Amino acid sequence: MKKTLRLILFPCLIFSLVHSASAQPFTLEEGVDPQELKLEAYKKDDPKAKGRINTTAITQEKDTMYFWAQGISMYSPTFFSITASDPAADLKINLCKENWKTPHKTGEIKGKGKWNTNFKTEGDFGIMVIAKKKPVKYALLVWTGDEVKIDIPSPFKSGTSVSGGGGWFKKNMVLVLVIIAALAAIGFLLFKLKKAKK
Amino acid sequence: MKKIFYIHFAQLFLISVYAQVEPPTEAERNDGALEGSNDYNDARQDQRDGEAEDRENIDDALGDLNNYLSTLRDIADAYRGMQNFSPGECAPDFATGGAAMMPSTCDGNSNCSQCFESAVNELNFVRRILGRLSCIYNNTKRFTQSAIAFGDNVSGIHGVTGLSWQNARGGIVQEYDNFKQTYDRKYTDLMGSLQRALMAIDGCERRYGLTDWYQRFGFIYFEFMKDKYKRTD
């Protein structure tokens, strides 16, 4: 029950922080109105594919269209693809984060084709599609897998044993006994010597 | 008299004109309907063709995803090989400073292992959450600074833009201040969870080895983590 509660509460805790922090790429232009690609549960029973997905078919008639996806975890793999079957397609794709002016990933499609990429990121990212010939049809796909159990370095020292108080004496007991015995022997010999002199 | 004559003439004229306009035949009526129907069918066909192209594009996109997934041995491997979205993007730092590393009698001890593993799982769970929290904070800070710098640069170009930017800038700063308060609350909650996880380890150590593990080692690690994830701005 405790573990179940933890598994429910902690993601909610992070979700509320992410929700207050997430934002589409920044812009001052009023004409930029990105369409959100909402992620929905996908293949719950498939261990590899399990995650969330959005597939959207677009008919673009403008020069540039903007999209964005949010709610992505940095512990999840994310895959993005754009596919066009129109032989006349001529598309440029920019994937952006902070603003629409600085893309971090770019691609293009000329004719019937596709472009895809994968990455890890936290929160959200933006997709900008520039069409040189219009109208053009294409499909966008965003998939993000479940969080991966990554290896975290252990905070424990390896190969060390720990003892209670007075550890040094326990480890060096033999040496201590030898020293005590030697001191006792020396004391006894001195006593005998002194007695002999008298 | 003349007037009456003209009225009658107009009536006769109209009757004769009407008589010449024949009502459309059934065939003619059908032609009109057919032409309208053809237009409708053409539009429906265009719509179906468009939908078919959309479906083809989506099927191709899903095929692309399946191809990608099929090349992976497992998703954890794929994740480890993946790059960050942007070069400067935050990656969680799970390193522990040398002085904060904790010894343990339970680590590797078969008598203690069940109790110890459960407590360590709890600890690592909290560490993952803290790692993510830290990156959310760093990303938001970077985004906010970038947005403010961007807006400050662009707003100088035009007076009207400058005025509207000042309003927007105030909103961004306020949002960031709210976010910092939220972070502080989450930080406090997670430090409580971290301490409980360390006390659970202390409980295992007390049963199988040390009676004062937390006071000697766990506390140092706790203080290290408190400093590591504390907000500094």
Side-chain angles (χ1 to χ4, degrees), chain A residues 60 63-65 67 80 82 89-95 101 103 105-110 115 127-133 136 138 140:
Chain A
Q60 182 160 335
D63 289 338
T64 309
M65 284 189 77
F67 309 90
F80 167 80
I82 177 167
D90 189 353
L91 300 169
K92 185 166 189 276
I93 306 103
N94 290 339
L95 300 190
K101 302 289 183 193
K105 291 185 181 291
T106 60
E108 56 181 24
I109 296 176
K110 288 192 189 294
W115 178 76
I127 304 152
M128 183 174 162
V129 181
I130 303 162
K132 290 171 191 169
K133 290 175 188 170
V136 62
Y138 54 84
L140 296 173

Side-chain angles (χ1 to χ4, degrees), chain A residues 33-186:
Chain A
D33 184 20
Q35 179 182 330
E36 187 180 349
L37 305 176
K38 291 188 194 295
L39 299 170
E40 292 170 352
Y42 181 68
K43 290 199 176 177
K44 288 178 187 175
D45 299 326
D46 187 327
K48 266 198 224 173
K50 192 166 69 155
R52 288 173 300 139
I53 196 170
N54 177 285
T55 53
T56 304
I58 302 289
T59 303
Q60 182 160 335
E61 291 172 356
K62 293 189 213 177
D63 289 338
T64 309
M65 284 189 77
Y66 300 86
F67 309 90
W68 72 303
Q70 63 168 329
I72 298 169
S73 166
M74 60 195 286
Y75 296 137
S76 296
T78 301
F79 177 88
F80 167 80
S81 92
I82 177 167
T83 311
S85 58
D86 184 350
D90 189 353
L91 300 169
K92 185 166 189 276
I93 306 103
N94 290 339
L95 300 190
C96 309
K97 188 87 171 162
E98 296 83 8
N99 57 64
W100 296 107
K101 302 289 183 193
T102 315
H104 292 292
K105 291 185 181 291
T106 60
E108 56 181 24
I109 296 176
K110 288 192 189 294
K112 180 174 176 168
K114 58 190 168 195
W115 178 76
N116 63 56
T117 184
N118 56 75
F119 48 83
K120 28 188 182 182
T121 194
E122 176 60 46
D124 54 68
F125 70 100
I127 304 152
M128 183 174 162
V129 181
I130 303 162
K132 290 171 191 169
K133 290 175 188 170
K134 303 168 289 286
V136 62
K137 283 180 165 295
Y138 54 84
L140 296 173
L141 183 147
V142 178
W143 170 84
T144 186
D146 277 0
E147 285 192 350
V148 164
K149 280 204 168 138
I150 54 171
D151 296 327
I152 302 180
S154 172
F156 297 98
K157 289 180 187 173
S158 59
T160 54
S161 60
V162 187
S163 55
W168 187 89
F169 287 100
K170 262 192 180 171
K171 280 183 198 171
N172 301 286
M173 189 63 74
V174 173
L175 181 66
V176 168
L177 287 171
V178 165
I179 292 171
I180 290 171
L183 286 170
I186 292 167

Side-chain angles (χ1 to χ4, degrees), chain B residues 7 17 23 51 72 93 130 140 168 170 193 222 225 230-231 233:
Chain B
I7 290 171
V17 165
E51 286 169 1
L72 308 174
D93 172 21
L130 280 167
T140 306
S193 302
F222 178 69
M225 293 290 273
K230 189 174 182 176
R231 191 171 57 81
D233 61 344

Side-chain angles (χ1 to χ4, degrees), chain B:
Chain B
M1 188 67 183
K2 231 181 185 178
K3 201 174 179 181
I4 294 170
F5 171 75
Y6 278 125
I7 290 171
H8 281 308
F9 179 75
Q11 282 174 343
L12 282 169
F13 177 75
L14 284 171
I15 289 166
S16 68
V17 165
Y18 179 74
Q20 287 174 22
V21 175
E22 295 171 6
T25 63
E26 190 176 345
E28 285 169 348
R29 279 200 301 271
N30 286 344
D31 280 347
L34 205 60
E35 194 175 326
S37 173
N38 283 342
D39 288 343
Y40 175 76
N41 285 339
D42 288 344
R44 284 287 297 148
Q45 185 58 40
D46 286 345
Q47 189 180 357
R48 278 194 289 269
D49 290 344
E51 286 169 1
E53 191 176 354
D54 287 344
R55 271 196 305 275
E56 184 186 348
N57 283 336
I58 288 185
D59 288 345
D60 283 348
L62 287 168
D64 207 14
L65 174 64
N66 289 334
N67 286 343
Y68 167 71
L69 290 171
S70 68
T71 62
L72 308 174
R73 193 179 59 168
D74 60 48
I75 211 72
D77 259 354
Y79 177 82
R80 277 187 279 272
M82 270 181 187
Q83 291 187 337
N84 285 337
F85 182 85
S86 55
E89 194 158 353
C90 174
D93 172 21
F94 295 118
T96 305
M101 293 284 282
M102 301 174 284
S104 169
T105 57
C106 277
D107 195 10
N109 181 343
S110 55
N111 292 332
C112 190
S113 59
Q114 193 177 357
C115 173
F116 185 68
E117 276 169 23
S118 171
V120 169
N121 284 343
E122 192 76 31
L123 175 69
N124 286 339
F125 181 80
V126 177
R127 289 171 74 201
R128 278 166 59 100
I129 302 276
L130 280 167
R132 191 173 171 203
L133 187 79
S134 173
C135 278
I136 290 170
Y137 176 75
N138 287 327
N139 287 346
T140 306
K141 184 177 174 180
R142 200 165 66 131
F143 176 89
T144 304
Q145 288 172 341
S146 170
I148 289 174
F150 180 84
D152 285 343
N153 283 336
V154 167
S155 66
I157 295 169
H158 195 283
V160 173
T161 314
L163 278 171
S164 63
W165 165 240
Q166 288 306 316
N167 287 336
R169 192 184 202 278
I172 291 169
V173 169
Q174 182 61 46
E175 279 288 323
Y176 184 53
D177 286 342
N178 293 342
F179 172 77
K180 284 194 277 190
Q181 288 173 16
T182 306
Y183 176 89
D184 290 342
R185 282 197 298 275
K186 306 303 177 194
Y187 166 84
T188 304
D189 292 343
L190 285 169
M191 283 301 125
S193 302
L194 177 69
Q195 190 166 52
R196 281 193 292 277
L198 290 169
M199 292 308 290
I201 296 172
D202 180 69
C204 301
E205 292 284 344
R206 196 176 307 126
R207 257 184 274 164
Y208 295 98
L210 291 173
T211 56
D212 55 354
W213 180 86
Y214 181 80
Q215 282 81 3
R216 291 174 63 193
F217 310 112
F219 179 72
I220 297 171
Y221 181 77
F222 178 69
E223 290 297 316
F224 163 77
M225 293 290 273
K226 265 176 71 177
D227 279 340
K228 184 173 180 176
Y229 291 105
K230 189 174 182 176
R231 191 171 57 81
T232 53
D233 61 344

